[in-house]
């Protein structure tokens, strides 16, 4: 199908602008700007598990503390991007997991939670990055969680269970993709894999530059295939990396995004890149306010960089969204909420880092001091300190009390409420219609409300890769 035939009805979009007022006129002017440009590159950006409250709090922090709007909402304020909502339900539930969510975009079909591009009856749907690679584009993914995790994998592979990350690493080696970077060394390192297979050696043999730290990543030459796996599991939370100085050796999401674009931008047939802030979701699961806020702000810095690139390039479609909500955090009305929220400027560490460092024999004073020094000068009572001590002594777990599943995240977040006035709905995914934004050629065809499984065909068609759309 020809692009002009598929979008022939969209030629009428600009006709109503005269009657819709100044704002609509401006919006349609933006649409006209891209109407005759080619969608050569696509950068698909996902803040995993981002509820609307997360987006709002990052913008409020940016305005109050940094003195400027966030890049994402600032682009809305400037009428730079098209804006809409997306229904992210899976095949089996109105509340999706990340595997089914990414698969809906990656394979163009809703699948059961936990599956990666495998339907309820075993149907296999060809992932979108495989299609773009066949069409001659360079492709890649970067993330702050293991590169084998659900969201990048949903754009790349077919597998029944998202948990088989060692197998996903093997599948990646067969795809000849151009850039794959994140955490997850335990799925590549022979010392950690059960089968003792050296996946680093496999990728090296296939011509990849393999990087295990920031300096090795930066040595990769443009157009060279690049595998970057920088930590055993996930990358550090942004707030921890800044305080500990690990950002000197371990790249952050902005570093990964910049390098990925640099590796692929000169390709004559263009590129497709997925960028994921995966630990926004992890922080929401832990009701970990500092981790959530500063990882969202890091994602926003990537939005800023990507939009700058797209403006200069002129042929890049930017898609910015989330795969689902998580925990629905937000600032709650009450006396002093403004200055209480401003306490965030003094935060040094995530709750995850704080709780991982509490000994089972810690004293009340040690806990009070640890929280005061690292959680925005928060003062807890002796009674609260006793509650935390009791939690560590009472938990019995074969996989260890320092497994994040067993740490007292919810207990600590409730104590922090009076210090930051941030409330939480739960510790799990929610059924939010997710925020959807687009900039660049192709964005003029975006609907203001989409089903998640419509995104697959949309991306293929605006990039004129219709011939591969056989899933």
């Amino acid at each position: 199908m020809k692009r002009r035939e598929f979008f022939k009805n969209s030629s009428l979009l600009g006709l109503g602008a005269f009657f819709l007022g100044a704002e609509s006129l401006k919006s349609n002017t933006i649409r006209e700007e891209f109407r005759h440009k080619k969608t050569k590159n696509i950068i698909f950006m996902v803040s995993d598990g981002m509820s609307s409250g997360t987006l709002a709090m990052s913008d409020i922090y940016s305005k109050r503390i940094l003195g400027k709007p966030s890049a994402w909402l600032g682009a809305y304020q400037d009428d730079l991007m098209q804006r809409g909502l997306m229904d992210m339900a899976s095949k089996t539930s109105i509340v999706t997991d990340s595997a089914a969510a990414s698969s809906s975009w990656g394979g163009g079909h809703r699948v059961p939670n936990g599956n990666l591009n495998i339907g309820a009856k075993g149907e296999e749907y060809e992932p979108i990055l495989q299609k773009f690679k066949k069409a001659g584009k360079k492709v890649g993914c970067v993330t702050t969680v293991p590169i084998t995790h659900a969201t990048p994998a949903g754009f790349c592979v077919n597998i029944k269970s998202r948990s088989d990350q060692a197998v996903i690493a093997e599948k990646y080696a067969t795809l000849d993709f151009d850039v794959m970077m994140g955490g997850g060394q335990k799925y590549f390192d022979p010392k950690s894999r059960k089968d003792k297979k050296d996946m680093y050696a496999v990728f090296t043999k296939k011509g990849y530059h393999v990087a295990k730290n920031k300096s090795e990543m930066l040595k990769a030459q443009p157009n060279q295939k690049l595998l970057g796996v920088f930590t055993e599991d996930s990358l550090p939370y942004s707030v921890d990396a800044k305080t500990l100085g690990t950002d000197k050796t371990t790249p952050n999401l902005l570093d990964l995004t910049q390098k990925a674009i640099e590796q692929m931008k000169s390709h004559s047939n263009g590129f497709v890149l997925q960028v994921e802030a995966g630990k926004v979701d992890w922080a929401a699961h832990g009701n970990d306010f500092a981790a959530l806020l500063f990882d969202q702000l890091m994602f926003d810095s990537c939005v800023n960089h990507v939009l700058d690139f797209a403006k200069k390039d002129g042929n890049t479609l930017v898609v910015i969204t989330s795969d689902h909500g998580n925990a629905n955090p937000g600032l709650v009305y009450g006396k002093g909420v403004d200055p209480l929220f401003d306490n965030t400027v003094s935060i040094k560490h995530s709750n995850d880092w704080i709780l991982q460092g509490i000994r089972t024999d810690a004293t009340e004073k040690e806990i009070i001091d640890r929280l005061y020094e690292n959680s925005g000068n928060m003062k807890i009572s002796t009674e609260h300190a006793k509650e935390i001590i009791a939690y560590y002594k009472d938990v019995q777990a074969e996989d260890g009390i320092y497994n994040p599943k067993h740490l007292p995240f919810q207990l600590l977040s409730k104590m922090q409420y009076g210090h930051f006035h941030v409330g939480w709905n739960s510790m799990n995914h929610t059924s939010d219609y997710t925020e959807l934004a687009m900039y660049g050629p192709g964005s003029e065809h975006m609907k203001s409300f989409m089903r998640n499984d419509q995104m697959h065909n949309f991306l293929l068609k605006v990039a004129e890769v219709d011939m591969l759309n056989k899933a």
Side-chain angles (χ1 to χ4, degrees), residues 17-282:
F18 178 79
F19 304 101
L20 297 177
E23 291 303 314
S24 294
L25 180 61
K26 186 171 183 180
S27 176
N28 279 282
T29 300
I30 295 171
R31 290 174 183 259
E32 289 296 330
E33 176 186 350
F34 300 117
R35 187 172 299 281
H36 303 294
K37 290 189 176 181
K38 181 178 175 62
T39 308
K40 180 181 177 182
N41 309 315
I42 298 172
I43 303 177
F44 194 96
M45 308 187 70
V46 184
S47 181
D48 196 302
M50 186 200 77
S51 298
S52 59
T54 303
L55 180 61
M57 287 191 294
S58 68
D59 186 65
I60 292 168
Y61 181 94
S62 190
K63 287 175 179 175
R64 291 182 68 83
I65 306 301
L66 305 179
K68 60 182 180 181
S70 64
W72 189 337
L73 293 190
Y76 283 166
Q77 293 170 24
D78 294 337
D79 284 318
L80 183 66
M81 297 194 294
Q82 304 296 335
R83 184 183 187 186
L85 295 172
M86 190 156 41
D87 177 357
M88 291 303 302
S90 74
K91 181 71 173 178
T92 50
S93 178
I94 55 177
V95 183
T96 190
D97 81 327
S98 292
S102 185
S103 295
S104 68
W105 304 324
H109 294 265
R110 286 179 166 173
V111 301
N113 285 346
N115 289 16
L116 287 165
N117 297 306
I118 300 288
K121 296 180 180 180
E123 310 94 325
E124 292 194 6
Y125 305 115
E126 187 175 15
I128 197 166
L129 288 191
Q130 293 189 31
K131 293 182 178 182
F132 278 123
K133 184 68 177 178
K134 288 179 182 177
K137 293 186 181 294
K138 291 201 169 187
V139 298
C141 298
V142 298
T143 182
T144 54
V145 296
I147 188 59
T148 49
H149 215 258
T151 301
F155 266 42
C156 302
V157 301
N158 305 86
I159 193 167
K160 177 70 173 176
S161 174
R162 59 176 287 178
S163 299
D164 292 336
Q165 295 190 64
V167 177
I168 292 171
E170 294 179 53
K171 285 179 173 286
Y172 284 171
T174 69
L175 297 176
D176 198 38
F177 286 178
D178 299 278
V179 176
M180 301 297 284
M181 294 195 290
Q185 287 180 352
K186 60 187 178 182
Y187 305 114
F188 293 83
D189 192 327
K191 297 177 182 177
S192 302
R193 288 178 58 98
K194 291 181 180 179
D195 61 8
K196 304 304 178 184
K197 183 179 290 187
D198 187 347
M199 291 308 301
Y200 294 128
V202 173
F203 276 87
T204 299
K205 188 175 181 179
K206 289 179 175 290
Y208 282 81
H209 175 91
V210 175
K212 299 179 184 178
N213 56 51
K214 187 174 181 178
S215 63
E216 290 178 355
M217 178 192 77
L218 295 174
K219 291 176 183 176
Q221 297 300 307
N223 297 312
Q224 186 177 16
K225 289 187 296 184
L226 174 58
L227 172 71
V229 192
F230 306 103
T231 52
E232 181 183 7
D233 193 33
S234 64
L235 272 58
Y237 283 118
S238 297
V239 64
D240 296 328
K242 181 180 179 181
T243 304
L244 297 173
T246 57
D247 52 353
K248 294 180 176 63
T249 56
T250 303
N252 58 38
L253 187 61
L254 180 58
D255 296 326
L256 299 180
T257 303
Q258 291 172 329
K259 184 60 176 175
I261 293 173
E262 179 186 323
Q263 291 301 107
M264 300 190 291
K265 67 181 181 181
S266 63
H267 186 53
S268 59
N269 206 27
F271 68 88
V272 180
L273 172 67
Q274 185 199 76
V275 176
E276 185 207 14
K279 292 196 73 173
V280 169
D281 183 60
W282 293 23

Side-chain angles (χ1 to χ4, degrees), residues 258-324:
Q258 291 172 329
K259 184 60 176 175
I261 293 173
E262 179 186 323
Q263 291 301 107
M264 300 190 291
K265 67 181 181 181
S266 63
H267 186 53
S268 59
N269 206 27
F271 68 88
V272 180
L273 172 67
Q274 185 199 76
V275 176
E276 185 207 14
K279 292 196 73 173
V280 169
D281 183 60
W282 293 23
H285 277 302
N287 288 183
D288 192 336
F289 169 59
L292 180 87
L293 176 65
F294 291 103
D295 264 44
Q296 181 64 33
L297 287 166
M298 175 59 70
F299 179 77
D300 196 69
S301 69
C302 296
V303 169
N304 184 63
H305 177 77
V306 167
L307 287 176
D308 281 348
F309 170 80
K311 290 173 192 174
K312 294 172 184 175
D313 175 72
N315 294 298
T316 298
L317 171 65
V318 181
V319 181
I320 312 171
T321 189
S322 178
D323 55 348
H324 50 75

Side-chain angles (χ1 to χ4, degrees), residues 329-379:
L331 291 168
V332 179
Y333 179 80
K335 184 178 180 180
V337 63
D338 295 36
L340 286 173
F341 180 71
D342 291 346
N343 286 332
T344 53
V345 75
S346 301
I347 293 175
K348 294 180 181 178
H349 281 291
S350 66
N351 288 354
D352 182 72
W353 183 90
I354 291 169
L355 294 174
Q356 290 282 356
I358 293 178
R359 305 188 320 274
T360 55
D361 62 348
T363 66
E364 295 160 12
K365 183 180 185 304
E366 286 173 335
I367 290 176
I368 291 170
D369 290 347
R370 185 171 179 83
L371 285 170
Y372 182 80
E373 293 167 3
N374 296 293
S375 188
N377 301 331
M378 183 180 80
K379 298 178 180 178

